[in-house]
Amino acid sequence: MAETNTDFRERLQKIVFKALKATLKSLLFYGIYLVLWSFFAPVSKVLPGLQQMVETFVMVYLFLMFVGDLTSGTIFQYFFSAAKALFVICYLILSLKGGIYGLTYENVSLSIDLHLFLMIATLLSLLGFAKSVLQAINYMSEKEECTRV
């Protein structure tokens, strides 16, 4: 009876520590976002919808990061890490409309070709995705080695 009580207490402490760590990490990143956004606030007046687009990205990314930190030590940590990488790829492609961004401001039409930026960001996110997949494979192989011994 005493062993199950201490075991429960240790598990509870571990979960609380993970939740606290994930919360603090998310709050830190959100604080960094708020500081950086104050520098880009004048740009949002020129580009309508930029603030909403960036805030949506930050919120979903922070949620995936939070859940990934909560599930650290399990295989789900790598699933959420892979989901973050795929989310970045999909969100950039959808929000940048395939690489061509058009803007009209006071009778001036401006088109910006962002294919190079989109390609670099996509390749970096694919690298993160591959890292997550390889880490998941490594985690499962280590788990298998522990059960065989």
Side-chain angles (χ1 to χ4, degrees), residues 27-40 50-52 54-56 58-59 62:
L27 287 174
L28 176 72
F29 276 92
Y30 190 71
I32 291 171
Y33 157 71
L34 287 176
V35 169
L36 288 177
W37 184 253
S38 66
F39 295 117
F40 292 110
L50 177 68
Q51 184 175 6
Q52 182 182 6
V54 171
E55 282 183 0
T56 304
V58 168
M59 287 299 137
L62 283 177

Side-chain angles (χ1 to χ4, degrees):
M1 177 84 178
E3 288 180 20
T4 57
N5 191 19
T6 57
D7 187 41
F8 172 73
R9 187 172 281 196
E10 288 175 5
R11 285 185 182 184
L12 184 63
Q13 285 178 346
K14 189 176 179 182
I15 291 171
V16 168
F17 177 72
K18 281 183 182 182
L20 185 64
K21 180 182 169 188
T23 303
L24 289 176
K25 189 175 176 183
S26 297
L27 287 174
L28 176 72
F29 276 92
Y30 190 71
I32 291 171
Y33 157 71
L34 287 176
V35 169
L36 288 177
W37 184 253
S38 66
F39 295 117
F40 292 110
V43 177
S44 68
K45 293 177 183 173
V46 177
L47 298 172
L50 177 68
Q51 184 175 6
Q52 182 182 6
M53 183 174 65
V54 171
E55 282 183 0
T56 304
F57 175 80
V58 168
M59 287 299 137
V60 173
Y61 192 84
L62 283 177
F63 174 76
L64 289 172
M65 185 176 71
F66 179 80
V67 174
D69 285 343
L70 276 181
T71 59
S72 65
T74 65
I75 190 68
F76 297 111
Q77 170 187 3
Y78 306 111
F79 290 152
F80 287 113
S81 179
K84 275 194 308 189
L86 291 176
F87 169 72
V88 169
I89 292 170
C90 293
Y91 198 80
L92 282 174
I93 289 173
L94 290 175
S95 65
L96 294 177
K97 298 173 186 152
I100 304 288
Y101 193 77
L103 173 69
T104 303
Y105 183 72
E106 294 184 10
N107 296 332
V108 176
S109 180
L110 178 67
S111 290
I112 302 170
D113 186 9
L114 297 172
H115 281 110
L116 183 62
F117 169 75
L118 188 60
M119 181 184 69
I120 291 170
T122 302
L123 288 176
L124 287 175
S125 293
L126 281 175
L127 189 63
F129 178 74
K131 177 185 169 193
S132 298
V133 169
L134 291 175
Q135 284 176 335
I137 291 170
N138 184 38
Y139 176 82
M140 291 306 291
S141 68
E142 286 178 357
K143 191 106 173 162
E144 182 66 25
E145 288 175 7
C146 290
T147 57
R148 283 188 179 177
V149 173

